[in-house]
Amino acid sequence: MPGSSKSGGAGGLPSPPHTASPSRPLRPSRYVPVSAATAFLVGSTTLFFCFTCPWLSEQFSVVVPIYNGVTFLFVLANFCMATFMDPGIFPRADEDEDKEDDFRAPLYKTVEIRGIQVRMKWCSTCRFYRPPRCSHCSVCDNCVEDFDHHCPWVNNCIGRRNYRHFFLFLLSLTVHIMGVFGFGLLYVLYHTQQLDTVHSAVTMAVMCVAGLFFIPVAGLTGFHMVLVARGRTTNEQVTGKFRGGVNPFTNGCWKNVSHVLCSSQAPRSLSLFVHHRCLWIYSMLIVYIWLYYYPLKQCVELQSSLHSKSSLEMMESQSCDAEPPPPPKPELRYPGLSRGHQEQHTEESSLLSKAPPTPTMYKYRPTYSSPGKNHTALTHAYANQSSQQPGFRSEPSLDGREAPGERGGGGLGGGGDRPGGGGSVGGAPGSGGGGIPGYSLGGRSYPSFSDPTVLSSGGGASRSSSVRSGSAHNAAHISEATTSTSYKSLANQTPPPRNGSLSYDSLLTPSESPDFESAAPDMSPGRHRTPAPPPVLGYSSPYLSAQLSQQRDAELHQPSASSVALLSSPHRAHYLRVTSSSSPPPPPERERLLQESHSHSHHSHSHSSRPPRFSRPPLLSDSAAPHHYPYRTRSTDTPLAPSTHPPRSPHPPPLGKSLSYSSAAAAEMQYRMVRKASASAGGGGGGGGGIQAPKDEIQMKLLSRTNGQPRSSLSSSGSTPSSPSHPISMSTRPGQAYPSPGNTQSPAHKLGGGVKKVTGVGGTTYEISV
Amino acid sequence: MATEFHNLQELRQSPSLATKVFIQRDYSEGTVCRFQIKFPSELGSRIERTLFEDTVKTLNTYYAEAEKVGGQSYMEGCLACATAYFIFFCMETRYEKVLKKISGYIQEQNEKIYAPRGLLLTDPVERGMRVIEVSVFEDRGSSGSSPSSNVSSGISQR
């Protein structure tokens, strides 16, 4: 059975805790690849079992269908886990965490990992410095730990938590396809005289599908086997972070493999979920509603039947007076968290007395700056409210779709889409020629799936279903700009779709520059806007689209002559020519999807209201250096001028065409040539691979603090603890809810001796002496 | 003066959050979960350095134990594969078990060491394992002066 390899999944997206009905735009096109992959996988395998296996079991052995059944079950299990498991989403940071950064906070922070300088970029959406290997997926609108890629085939990001399942899915799918094709061939060879029968025809059709999908799936599997052996992620491979350099994250082939396959399942962040007590309350509500449905129904029927009688009024009141007994006090023990019973009751009562939004949810209100994310926040919020989730469970299959984020998928085409980095891997297996979008298809912006549909179907009583709600929960982070005047806040006015996503979304939205960019050296102190290296075009459209979208974004945000010149540069035109020459998938659908994502970005942009995170004006200073690619520098962190919306429209259509591996390979070559040219030009814009990277990192190290000191070089040398000023800012922020639900909210009573009782996060009550 | 503050304390029931200190991750050994043991200067007057560092070191030990790739995690993975991952509904993973231990340890540390000093540790898992959040509390009633002196006035009150 063929199986389009899908990778998808629910990204957890926070959602605003308010009760407003979200007008989340339904983007059904996001689910087209997932649906197609599922249909192919299940349908073809079912046909195989129905038409081919009976004869095989009779002719050879019953082991044949059993073996195929076990393999198929393994494929399905891993597919579901890759699709529905949280990839390792970082919840949005609280406001308090960001308060340390002032205007001068740098865009990048440098840390040293095993002697290698690694940059951590400030994420304006999530409001923290991205940990190493973390990237922000523009489709899911989340920062994902150990971000690999966004796979449209499973409609989910592939990150730390579900990479193993994705990898096993690919392996098992390859084996399954080979088995189906092989046994189908065996059937056909034994029935050469009866090829006109239905069974033979179906078997041959299944073989065709299997053969068609085998090449891209096998290519992708081989590619990921190399990645696992090298200890790299797809993102790092495609962006060429370690090209010619040293990978600080590798521990040797054996340890890398054992880490992927044998490490324990990482937990989900607790703050992604609504407080588990809320989940319990909601689930109990659902249960009690269900339990009392029949009595209520009888009451209504009795009402209608007695309505005709004159003395009905009294009877109605009597019959319907039988209210259901109040629900018993729920047991608030969760295995994941052990809390005192008393605290649980306190927490529960406090929660019951509150409006639906819990304190945990409250903190994710759109007080955060992310501009243009409001609509996304609303959509995620809606999904979030339908279910909650407790604890840090692994959440196997029900991890579900956390976020209505769009998922690009590495899927089938991924293997062939990275000729650049994965040159040793089957290069361009030509799967792209088969019209299978694979990774490149990820660039398409699929509509946000209605998580609520999945979540509500999962039932509030289900723990795992609540998992996803957490993702929606996080959507609450985004939104309104605060009054913070830090440069990071300035950067928050960036367009919503962020980098890191290897999907068509990046076509229309700027992608974030990778952390290990070997871009142009930092040119001004405190400013870390280094030009982004041109994406590895060999990795097909997503990066090209990212590049172009960044170009576009640069044009929008900093309409300087340099950016305009760059956009009209022959290089870019050449890229477009190269990519458009490839054999494209249906253009109308692509354009439609692009327009959808385009409109999405437009909508996002219109919401930006925060000043961008400060950074040097790279485009202006780099105007004289055409080889500097400005995408890296600004993009997501630059302010978004609403007036610059129109220029974005003309770009999407040509970008949508490049999906084939051959075009990607050609583009990759072009990219390399351009990078060499740029490197030789002395600007080091694109970076000469690893050679440029250390230089850049060193420069950045000189200009920025290292290892956790978020201060720019422009500020005073000493790490001035801004804590003395914090009380001022905090006290002057009216109505600010501190992140921890109970830190300051609980009506602590004085216990004498200056001891205050404070309910900490998670409901535990501490007595704090003041 | 003392009476005045006492009355203020009675008026204000809840302690005020003065500031939050964030202990960042230590990435010197890769993406393994480790937190910086460097003692933050904001806590200099509130808690002894050794106590704080012991807490962070113990947490680091716990996280290293959780992420250790060994026999138990391997068997767990094999069992999960064999049961098509349904075993996760019934069983806690090794990481989750260690996280429970960590949460219990943090609770105990808060009760014994940090709460008496007006501090509160937040479990990193609540923050996506990115930071250890240390909330510094001050008695609102005792800090009658400018907000910037909250910390110092709080200390003097104690």
Side-chain angles (χ1 to χ4, degrees), chain A residues 108 119 121 130 134-135 235-236 239-241 499-500 511-518 530 532-533 543 550 632 697:
Chain A
Y108 292 98
R119 284 193 316 192
K121 187 177 179 182
R130 295 192 195 121
C134 164
S135 190
N235 192 22
E236 292 164 351
T239 54
K241 282 180 183 171
N499 66 3
S511 331
E512 298 233 350
S513 52
D515 294 336
F516 300 109
E517 300 158 354
S518 57
T530 56
Y543 279 91
Q550 284 178 339
R632 203 183 207 174
E697 299 297 347

Side-chain angles (χ1 to χ4, degrees), chain A residues 78 90 94 96-97 99 113-114 131 262 267 269-271 335 392-394 396 739 743 748 756 758 761 766-767 769, chain B residues 13 15 20 22 27-28 67 73-74 85 88 93 95-96 99-100 110 115-116 118 120 125-128 130 147:
Chain A
N78 283 296
F90 285 115
D94 297 331
D96 296 333
E97 193 173 337
K99 71 185 187 310
I113 302 179
R114 296 179 184 173
C262 304
S269 173
L270 277 180
S271 55
F392 37 76
R393 307 234 357 141
S394 299
N743 274 347
K756 299 290 185 266
V758 171
V761 175
Y766 302 106
E767 297 178 2
S769 56
Chain B
Q13 295 294 324
K20 287 188 180 183
F22 295 96
Y27 294 110
S28 60
E67 295 185 351
S73 60
Y74 177 74
Y85 306 108
F88 287 141
T93 66
Y95 215 117
E96 283 171 353
L99 282 180
K100 279 173 67 175
N110 274 332
L120 187 68
V125 75
E126 307 259 351
R127 299 286 175 261
R130 287 184 303 105

